[in-house]
Amino acid sequence: MAGKNWKQYFDFSAIEKNRTNGLCKLCHRNYKDKSGVFSNFLKHLKRQHPFEYNQVFKSEHEYFTEDRDGIEDGHEPIDLTNLKEKENRIILSITKNLIIRCNLPLNLVEKPAFRDFMKECNLKYRPVSTKRLKHDVIPSLTSTVLTRIHEKLNSVDHVTLTVDIWSDRRCRSFIGITCHFIDQNINLQAYLIDFLRLKSLHTSENIQQMTDEVLERFNIKKKVFRIVTDNASSMIKAYKFGLSSDIENMEVDERNQFIIENDLMIENFEENFESDNLQMVNMSSSAFDENEDSPSVRLSCFAHTLQLCIRDGLKNVPYISKVLEKCQILGKCSNQSSKIADVLEEINKHISKMNITRWNSEYMLVKSILSIGKSDLDSIVKLMDNSVTFLNNDFTVLEEVVDILEPFYDISIKCQSNTIVTVSIVVPAIVHCITHLLEIRKRLTFCTKLVEQLHISIDKRFSGIIHRLNLISVERNEPFNDPLYFMATILDPSFKFYWLRDLNLPINNENRLKQNIIQLIVDEISQDPFLASSKATPEAASTSSTTSKLKKKLFVYNAFDEKFNDTMVSDPVTEIDSYLNDPIRTRFSDYWSTSRLTSLKKLVKRIFSVQASSAPVERVFSHAGLILSSRRTNMSEQLFKDLVFLKVNQSLL
């Protein structure tokens, strides 16, 4: 019997159907006693067929005890030596993989179909209740993840925060705070440190107070390097002068602030713009210098500010607004009319929906309409109750709008992607947008004014960056005035000074701009004793001494001297020169993890913790919206916060 495939005689799915027969399929003996207890079959199998019994239950035990990705995620496996530990392992896996990662409702574990499924997977599965998951398992996981976040934050010197406020389906306000830092391996790490209810008014004082409480709880208040928020006035005031300032003594320059309450009020926000044209380089201006005052701890969200620039441009060109209004009417009708839906299905096209708070949804709406074609679009428009007419010039206008806004759309998608995007992308993105507008203006027929308005808006909202590019002195209250943007760009091996080629500057001007940016890095290192005290490690010293003893080989030429990467070098200027002359172009984490330029490496660990936008905390709110769906609005506040916290930090489960 041992040599045969015993599984063909032992079919678990047929046990329930054949148990009344009382016959063992292996030996065809009657194992049923007078009482008719089905468990006698297991006793019979264990006594008469020990080999087959061990094959079934031993293999099942090994399946649950092996260390599998997705259950323990690299943590130490639990030693399941008894049934109780095995049950806990199954319950833990259900909670992590189904409830948290797959966002399934908690009452799934009480559904008959799920319990039948688990019974087929494991005959000895004991059903778990929703109450146990809610009051025992999920709070235990939350506590474990919090402990791991505390441990990681204790080992870092600098963190960057992203902060924002969100309202759920029940109009309850929550404030989300994410932290970002560079670990010892120069890898970006991001965690949600708190998602808490905001019951008070959304004032700057309340926002700052809640942030301080969270930072004190994690003991990282002194480690905060920058805070990235949107351009709401309360956020600007809350962090404009840091975390430990007296709100009553703030002197707020209202002329240079972005006064925007939230995304829903963008359409109602009006602002006066200067009519001066943007000049890329103005060498007659004063020298490139930096205000002695330290920059604000708060940085504006790059993606949100770029969105405001586009809103400014579209709003201030009347004829474009009229054509876009036609597109909005068509888009709204296409999502409400079954006739139009049938026509779109026949031609295998669709019209994108528009979200008033996201300009890129308007961009996708225009692209979807242009893809239909004029003849098909005319037949669709006739099906509308209040039809609109698209003229030939309207199509030309829409095509030019798409061509103008395409780089802006690509940059917005890049900033909002799931991959972490650091602040190093900001300056190259602005330079790309400006050069794109200068080049495309020559090919336009109707939308030259849109290009002018975008120039004006970029010049105003990114004046700190524009002035540095033009070698103009930067005032402290100017938006995007932080030298961090340029330092991060240069220290990213993907960018360095390559983006300067797009500006086509005279060689003297380009060299002056390079020297000024390098000086910013040198000043940052020299002013900070933590960065300036770079000493070679014993391993580095031994490497250097070994290298110096090597003899030069015949006909072997190095592109760069080995001394450039010598760890004994602590002079920032020498390190920058070595770095800039290195031809390697790769991800910054790959490059700096193996670099021996100690001063720059310390600066990189601080600067690259800064995010380009507040997209990380916005993704938290996206998860929260999916968790609190329309069918789960009665979920308790604490359970909701725990599920959001675990979902975002699922890598630590």
Side-chain angles (χ1 to χ4, degrees):
M1 182 67 67
K4 299 181 180 179
N5 185 4
W6 59 271
K7 291 185 179 181
Q8 63 181 327
Y9 299 98
F10 187 73
D11 184 5
F12 276 104
S13 63
I15 287 179
E16 284 292 329
K17 184 172 67 174
N18 296 326
R19 69 173 187 163
T20 55
N21 297 333
L23 293 177
C24 174
K25 288 190 175 184
L26 296 173
C27 62
H28 302 286
R29 293 181 181 178
N30 191 341
Y31 60 84
K32 193 172 181 181
D33 61 5
K34 296 180 180 179
S35 61
V37 179
F38 175 66
S39 61
N40 289 334
F41 170 72
L42 297 179
K43 296 178 182 178
H44 169 80
L45 185 66
K46 186 175 182 180
R47 294 170 182 171
Q48 302 298 328
H49 311 286
F51 175 79
E52 287 77 6
Y53 179 87
N54 291 332
Q55 287 292 324
V56 174
F57 294 102
K58 184 178 180 181
S59 61
E60 183 184 4
H61 177 77
E62 290 175 351
Y63 172 77
F64 281 103
T65 55
E66 65 182 15
D67 186 16
R68 295 179 294 136
D69 293 339
I71 291 184
E72 286 302 316
D73 299 328
H75 304 302
E76 294 183 0
I78 303 172
D79 184 15
L80 302 179
T81 57
N82 57 57
L83 182 61
K84 187 65 177 178
E85 291 180 353
K86 184 175 179 180
E87 290 177 0
N88 291 337
R89 179 66 176 269
I90 295 174
I91 293 172
L92 191 64
S93 179
I94 290 173
T95 306
K96 292 195 297 185
N97 296 311
L98 299 182
I99 305 301
I100 296 173
R101 289 180 175 139
C102 294
N103 194 25
L104 296 177
L106 273 70
N107 62 1
L108 170 73
V109 297
E110 296 183 351
K111 293 184 179 295
F114 177 77
R115 292 185 172 181
D116 291 343
F117 167 76
M118 292 302 298
K119 279 290 185 181
E120 291 197 14
C121 294
N122 181 10
L123 288 175
K124 295 186 178 182
Y125 169 73
R126 297 178 62 183
V128 62
S129 66
T130 301
K131 185 176 181 180
R132 182 180 177 187
L133 295 182
K134 180 178 179 180
H135 297 290
D136 295 334
V137 182
I138 291 178
S140 176
L141 288 174
T142 302
S143 177
T144 301
V145 172
L146 274 173
T147 301
R148 290 172 180 167
I149 292 178
H150 272 284
E151 293 173 353
K152 290 181 178 294
L153 291 178
N154 288 336
S155 63
V156 299
D157 298 316
H158 306 285
V159 297
T160 295
L161 308 180
T162 63
V163 185
D164 204 355
I165 298 175
W166 174 78
S167 296
D168 65 4
R169 297 175 184 270
R170 295 166 58 180
C171 297
R172 298 177 299 182
S173 296
F174 294 85
I175 182 170
I177 303 176
T178 65
C179 70
H180 308 266
F181 59 89
I182 305 294
D183 62 14
Q184 298 300 323
N185 298 322
I186 316 296
N187 291 321
L188 281 164
Q189 302 293 339
Y191 300 110
L192 172 65
I193 59 175
D194 215 335
F195 180 73
L196 61 161
R197 179 76 180 278
L198 180 60
K199 296 183 179 180
S200 54
L201 297 176
H202 299 183
T203 61
S204 59
E205 293 84 356
N206 293 331
I207 295 172
Q208 187 184 40
Q209 180 182 356
M210 296 190 72
T211 306
D212 286 342
E213 292 174 356
V214 172
L215 298 182
E216 290 289 353
R217 186 163 11 105
F218 283 88
N219 195 26
I220 57 173
K221 189 172 182 178
K222 295 182 180 179
K223 298 182 178 181
V224 174
F225 179 54
R226 292 291 187 272
I227 301 177
V228 182
T229 73
D230 61 13
N231 295 307
S233 58
S234 57
M235 290 291 181
I236 294 176
K237 190 175 181 181
Y239 307 114
K240 186 173 179 63
F241 295 93
L243 292 170
S244 302
S245 58
D246 184 3
I247 301 296
E248 296 179 356
N249 294 330
M250 286 185 180
E251 296 179 359
V252 181
D253 188 350
E254 297 293 339
R255 181 175 58 87
N256 290 318
Q257 279 192 358
F258 297 110
I259 309 301
I260 303 170
E261 289 299 328
N262 49 50
D263 284 343
L264 297 177
M265 297 177 61
I266 289 176
E267 294 294 329
N268 297 325
F269 176 71
E270 295 183 358
E271 189 175 15
N272 295 323
F273 296 96
E274 299 178 0
S275 57
D276 297 337
N277 293 328
L278 172 69
Q279 295 182 358
M280 289 302 302
V281 178
N282 185 359
M283 298 308 300
S284 63
S285 302
S286 59
F288 185 99
D289 61 356
E290 171 62 18
N291 196 305
E292 295 180 356
D293 295 331
S294 60
S296 169
V297 70
R298 176 195 168 271
L299 297 179
S300 295
C301 172
F302 172 61
H304 187 226
T305 307
L306 192 66
Q307 173 176 303
L308 296 180
C309 291
I310 297 165
R311 291 291 186 189
D312 295 340
L314 295 176
K315 182 177 62 176
N316 290 286
V317 183
Y319 58 87
I320 292 181
S321 300
K322 293 179 180 179
V323 178
L324 293 178
E325 185 179 356
K326 295 180 182 179
C327 296
Q328 295 171 11
I329 295 173
L330 176 58
K332 185 177 180 180
C333 291
S334 65
N335 292 308
Q336 297 176 349
S337 172
S338 59
K339 295 181 180 178
I340 297 179
D342 293 338
V343 174
L344 291 173
E345 185 178 2
E346 289 179 1
I347 61 177
N348 196 22
K349 298 290 184 180
H350 77 284
I351 297 179
S352 301
K353 294 182 180 180
M354 178 182 170
N355 185 344
I356 193 173
T357 63
R358 293 290 181 266
W359 78 269
N360 50 6
S361 65
E362 194 168 11
Y363 173 85
M364 294 304 298
L365 171 65
V366 173
K367 285 196 69 173
S368 63
I369 291 175
L370 287 175
S371 66
I372 295 176
K374 191 175 188 312
S375 58
D376 291 331
L377 190 61
D378 290 339
S379 61
I380 291 174
V381 168
K382 293 178 182 178
L383 299 176
M384 298 171 55
D385 295 334
N386 297 320
S387 61
V388 294
T389 303
F390 285 90
L391 306 177
N392 291 330
N393 288 344
D394 292 341
F395 279 92
T396 304
V397 169
L398 293 178
E399 289 173 354
E400 291 184 356
V401 167
V402 169
D403 291 339
I404 294 172
L405 298 182
E406 184 176 5
F408 295 87
Y409 174 78
D410 294 338
I411 294 171
S412 298
I413 296 300
K414 176 71 173 177
C415 291
Q416 298 170 7
S417 62
N418 290 329
T419 56
I420 300 175
V421 181
T422 65
V423 74
S424 64
I425 196 179
V426 175
V427 173
I430 293 298
V431 170
H432 180 76
C433 289
I434 292 174
T435 54
H436 165 73
L437 293 176
L438 292 174
E439 293 173 358
I440 200 173
R441 184 174 182 176
K442 305 172 185 178
R443 309 194 301 265
L444 300 177
T445 305
F446 296 101
C447 296
T448 53
K449 188 175 181 181
L450 174 60
V451 172
E452 294 175 0
Q453 291 298 323
L454 289 174
H455 268 307
I456 295 172
S457 185
I458 290 175
D459 189 21
K460 181 179 181 64
R461 296 191 181 277
F462 296 97
S463 60
I465 293 177
I466 299 301
H467 286 172
R468 289 189 191 278
L469 291 174
N470 293 330
L471 303 178
I472 301 175
S473 60
V474 179
E475 300 296 332
R476 187 175 187 275
N477 288 326
E478 287 186 295
F480 288 83
N481 69 326
D482 200 320
L484 170 73
Y485 295 107
F486 285 85
M487 291 189 291
T489 300
I490 303 309
L491 294 177
D492 191 334
S494 301
F495 295 119
K496 289 187 179 179
F497 283 118
Y498 302 126
W499 50 275
L500 280 176
R501 302 169 185 172
D502 293 340
L503 294 177
N504 294 322
L505 299 176
I507 187 65
N508 291 334
N509 300 348
E510 181 175 319
N511 289 335
R512 286 185 58 190
L513 182 57
K514 287 181 178 180
Q515 290 301 321
N516 290 330
I517 298 174
I518 292 174
Q519 190 61 44
L520 291 175
I521 299 176
V522 174
D523 293 342
E524 182 71 17
I525 295 176
S526 61
Q527 292 172 6
D528 193 325
F530 175 80
L531 299 176
S533 59
S534 300
K535 296 181 180 180
T537 60
E539 294 81 5
S542 63
T543 303
S544 178
S545 60
T546 302
T547 304
S548 61
K549 295 178 181 178
L550 294 178
K551 295 182 179 180
K552 182 175 178 61
K553 296 181 179 180
L554 183 63
F555 302 136
V556 176
Y557 307 103
N558 295 327
F560 301 97
D561 197 333
E562 290 286 342
K563 295 180 181 180
F564 281 169
N565 277 331
D566 196 332
T567 52
M568 297 301 292
V569 176
S570 60
D571 179 25
V573 177
T574 307
E575 288 192 6
I576 293 174
D577 184 60
S578 172
Y579 163 71
L580 293 177
N581 286 291
D582 192 340
I584 297 177
R585 297 185 65 178
T586 181
R587 293 178 67 252
F588 83 92
S589 57
D590 296 334
Y591 182 90
W592 290 108
S593 61
T594 58
S595 175
R596 293 179 287 180
L597 306 175
T598 53
S599 296
L600 290 182
K601 193 171 184 177
K602 290 182 179 180
L603 182 60
V604 163
K605 293 180 67 175
R606 173 192 293 180
I607 288 179
F608 280 86
S609 67
V610 183
Q611 303 300 291
S613 69
S614 58
V617 73
E618 295 288 349
R619 281 194 291 271
V620 172
F621 301 151
S622 297
H623 288 304
L626 294 175
I627 291 172
L628 195 71
S629 63
S630 57
R631 295 185 178 185
R632 305 173 72 180
T633 54
N634 290 329
M635 184 186 300
S636 67
E637 179 182 321
Q638 186 58 49
L639 177 62
F640 174 50
K641 293 193 298 184
D642 287 346
L643 289 177
V644 173
F645 181 79
L646 294 173
K647 176 67 174 180
V648 178
N649 297 318
Q650 58 181 286
S651 61
L652 296 177
L653 287 174

